[in-house]
Amino acid sequence: MMKETNQMAATEQTAQIGVTGLGVMGRNLARNFARHGYRVALHNRTASRTTDTINNFGHEGTFSASQSPQEFVGALERPRRIVIMVNAGPATDAVIDEFAPLLEPGDMLIDGGNAHFKDTRRREARLKGQNIHFVGMGVSGGEEGALNGPSIMPGGSPESYEALGPMLETISAHVDGTPCCTHIGPDGAGHFVKMVHNGIEYADMQLIAEAYDLLRHAVGLEPQQIAQTFQKWNEGRLDSYLIQITAEVLAHTDAQTGKPFVDIVLDQAEQKGTGRWTVQDALDLGVPVSGIAEAVFARSLSGHAGLREAAQNLPGPETTGTAARAEGLEDQIEQALYASKLVSYAQGWNMMDTGSREYGWGIDLGGTATIWRGGCIIRAAFLDRIRAAYEKNPDLPTLLTDDHFSQEIGAAQDAWRNVVATAARLGIPAPGFSAALSYYDALRARRLPAALIQGLRDYFGAHTYRRADRDGVYHTLWAQDKTEETRLQGTAVVLPP
């Protein structure tokens, strides 16, 4: 009776928002809207999925089922708000092509999938010509977040956020009464920020995995003991969703074998591509994100089973982990994990800053930290301190130069260096820890060996160089008398020795 009442009510008044694409994420997002009192129109290419959603969850709110795109669009109040929850790529374009001709000026198409931000920019520019608002909306938190409160990163026009934003803020996660949702910026800004979030997520998980590997093979702990270690860490400055679930995964025992769950899982990590996109776009922007890159490469290497099998007999260090336990290494690993995590987040924020400047988005870096405090996968206690750092200094060049973080990473560096050295000595791969430390040392170096690289490039390719002691662009006549000439507007002027 309740289901019939809800469906009848929905036919008597137009829906405030519509969701097309009722996979798990789309269905849960629709349920989230309904649970918060919004009237929700549902559509799916396979009509049975729409029916199943209402039959199973109709008691949670007011839904209306639509069999066709025309019926779906007709069920929505103006301005129409249509959330697209289908696979990124051609499927999204197909849905846009299907619905755009049915819409009127001021209506909104909202892509809630993991689209590449350049696709979002293309779609937004195309639909703007039809006076339709296209919103690229990053959603983080997985299936549970979509249902109970995700972190939401919408891009698009300010006008679209005026009509859509209050609804998104209502269904998002909240921390200290603040919604984990804000307008990120124009066109592809929302999907760009979501991409960087996922890149940081890759780095975070790789660092956690390396900490586990070291605790097990350098300290000599078993998975149940390591679970307790992560539980303890989660009560301190590493307090985060990923640390919390790491403890739960490590504490789990396989019911069939009685072995630790982590020992029966194939050690080949998969990926959906957002981390790879982050690295590719960082290269295009000229931003070093070595922590994220190493995490992507580590997953890739794990999947090369044949290559790894062929290398099993390669020589390694004679010292075994159990014979080389270091006093206090467990605490040092915590410090290395925290310092490396800071570096990865700093790289991610630097990429967001650079992307914002490149595309004119005006991203609020402190605001991004605010909306990632809840709902999303990388939610962590120290994100509030990142927010505070940018609130104190909006022009902060890197998180690592913030007074508070600088002091913490300085206090951790001796332990950090020892952990990286211990891993190398024992033959335990720690690319994330190593890359983070190298990045940190490169930032603080007075002089980098890039000067020699420039000299070599000039030698074999006449690529020129700049001098540290005066302005200008120069080339040395290496194959002749090694005199130096200055390059001015395509001409060469030989300088006196």
Side-chain angles (χ1 to χ4, degrees):
M1 186 65 181
M2 176 69 75
K3 296 175 186 174
E4 293 178 1
T5 302
N6 284 333
Q7 293 178 52
M8 186 178 298
T11 60
E12 294 173 353
Q13 50 188 325
T14 54
Q16 295 161 290
I17 194 158
V19 178
T20 179
L22 299 176
V24 176
M25 284 291 291
R27 182 191 67 202
N28 282 1
L29 204 60
R31 293 171 60 196
N32 192 347
F33 279 117
R35 286 178 171 187
H36 283 88
Y38 295 110
R39 302 183 300 278
V40 185
L42 302 177
H43 172 265
N44 195 78
R45 188 173 293 275
T46 303
S48 60
R49 188 168 285 179
T50 306
T51 304
D52 289 344
T53 299
I54 291 181
N55 286 340
N56 292 320
F57 307 107
H59 62 281
E60 294 183 339
T62 304
F63 297 99
S64 64
S66 303
Q67 300 300 315
S68 68
Q70 293 79 3
E71 183 183 359
F72 180 59
V73 170
L76 294 165
E77 69 179 22
R78 296 288 316 279
R80 300 180 180 93
R81 309 170 185 89
I82 297 176
V83 180
I84 301 170
M85 297 298 291
V86 301
N87 292 333
T92 301
D93 284 317
V95 172
I96 292 171
D97 291 342
E98 186 173 35
F99 282 100
L102 305 175
L103 301 181
E104 300 176 81
D107 289 348
M108 285 162 269
L109 283 172
I110 304 131
D111 179 11
N114 268 334
H116 191 277
F117 78 95
K118 290 183 179 178
D119 286 337
T120 302
R121 299 191 81 207
R122 168 178 59 80
R123 292 162 180 155
E124 193 271 345
R126 170 196 158 193
L127 291 170
K128 185 184 290 185
Q130 303 175 47
N131 293 317
I132 295 172
H133 297 287
F134 186 75
V135 176
M137 180 179 73
V139 180
S140 180
E143 300 171 11
E144 180 183 348
L147 180 62
N148 297 315
S151 175
I152 308 178
M153 296 148 265
S157 66
E159 294 82 5
S160 66
Y161 194 77
E162 286 180 13
L164 178 66
M167 299 177 71
L168 298 181
E169 290 177 10
T170 298
I171 70 161
S172 73
H174 286 65
V175 176
D176 298 330
T178 301
C180 294
C181 173
T182 191
H183 183 227
I184 301 297
D187 55 75
H191 275 146
F192 179 86
V193 166
K194 174 57 164 57
M195 177 187 72
V196 176
H197 165 282
N198 285 20
I200 296 172
E201 177 187 311
Y202 272 55
D204 222 341
M205 285 193 283
Q206 176 63 26
L207 294 170
I208 288 171
E210 291 178 18
Y212 152 76
D213 207 19
L214 285 160
L215 287 169
R216 189 159 194 187
H217 298 111
V219 180
L221 301 180
E222 292 300 317
Q224 288 284 347
Q225 295 172 301
I226 301 173
Q228 294 173 4
T229 296
F230 275 94
Q231 287 174 349
K232 180 178 66 177
W233 289 354
N234 197 50
E235 296 170 1
R237 59 184 180 176
L238 284 171
D239 176 12
S240 66
Y241 173 70
L242 284 173
I243 295 291
Q244 172 195 332
I245 66 173
T246 296
E248 293 185 27
V249 171
L250 288 172
H252 184 53
T253 299
D254 177 52
Q256 296 181 31
T257 64
K259 296 179 180 179
F261 172 77
V262 73
D263 286 346
I264 59 92
V265 176
L266 191 65
D267 61 339
Q268 297 176 19
E270 298 180 359
Q271 52 185 307
K272 290 188 175 179
T274 48
R276 183 171 64 250
W277 287 351
T278 308
V279 177
Q280 291 169 337
D281 287 308
L283 290 171
D284 291 340
L285 289 168
V287 181
V289 291
S290 52
I292 298 170
E294 287 296 345
V296 172
F297 290 140
R299 289 198 193 188
S300 179
L301 178 59
S302 76
H304 283 269
L307 180 62
R308 292 171 57 198
E309 181 64 29
Q312 288 302 296
N313 293 324
L314 288 176
E318 295 181 2
T319 307
T320 63
T322 54
R325 293 186 188 177
E327 187 67 30
L329 186 59
E330 182 176 331
D331 176 67
Q332 292 178 359
I333 292 171
E334 186 273 344
Q335 296 185 64
L337 176 57
Y338 183 75
S340 299
K341 181 185 177 84
L342 275 179
V343 167
S344 294
Y345 278 63
Q347 291 178 352
W349 255 262
N350 185 228
M351 183 171 175
M352 286 189 288
D353 185 32
T354 303
S356 178
R357 296 174 191 274
E358 175 71 18
Y359 296 107
W361 285 330
I363 295 174
D364 180 352
L365 299 178
T368 303
T370 299
I371 67 170
W372 285 352
R373 294 182 303 163
C376 70
I377 303 302
I378 66 169
R379 59 186 183 264
F382 90 139
L383 280 161
D384 199 50
R385 288 158 51 202
I386 293 179
R387 176 202 57 76
Y390 280 106
E391 188 175 272
K392 177 182 177 183
N393 181 9
D395 298 320
L396 193 67
T398 171
L399 281 173
L400 303 180
T401 58
D402 171 73
D403 290 342
H404 185 83
F405 289 131
S406 176
Q407 291 172 8
E408 285 196 318
I409 208 166
Q413 69 164 316
D414 287 344
W416 190 13
R417 296 181 192 283
N418 185 60
V419 167
V420 171
T422 299
R425 187 173 66 253
L426 299 179
I428 299 173
F433 284 172
S434 300
L437 181 58
S438 292
Y439 177 86
Y440 174 74
D441 283 338
L443 280 187
R444 61 179 202 83
R446 293 286 183 184
R447 290 274 294 174
L448 291 170
L452 176 58
I453 293 173
Q454 283 300 86
L456 296 174
R457 293 179 71 246
D458 187 61
Y459 190 108
F460 66 69
H463 292 298
T464 72
Y465 55 89
R466 289 172 295 153
R467 295 179 60 100
D469 55 355
R470 58 178 179 267
D471 293 335
V473 178
Y474 302 90
H475 168 60
T476 292
L477 302 173
W478 297 102
Q480 300 175 34
D481 60 358
K482 293 186 175 57
T483 55
E484 185 180 72
E485 61 183 24
T486 183
R487 297 292 176 91
L488 297 172
Q489 297 180 346
T491 62
V493 179
V494 178
L495 299 174

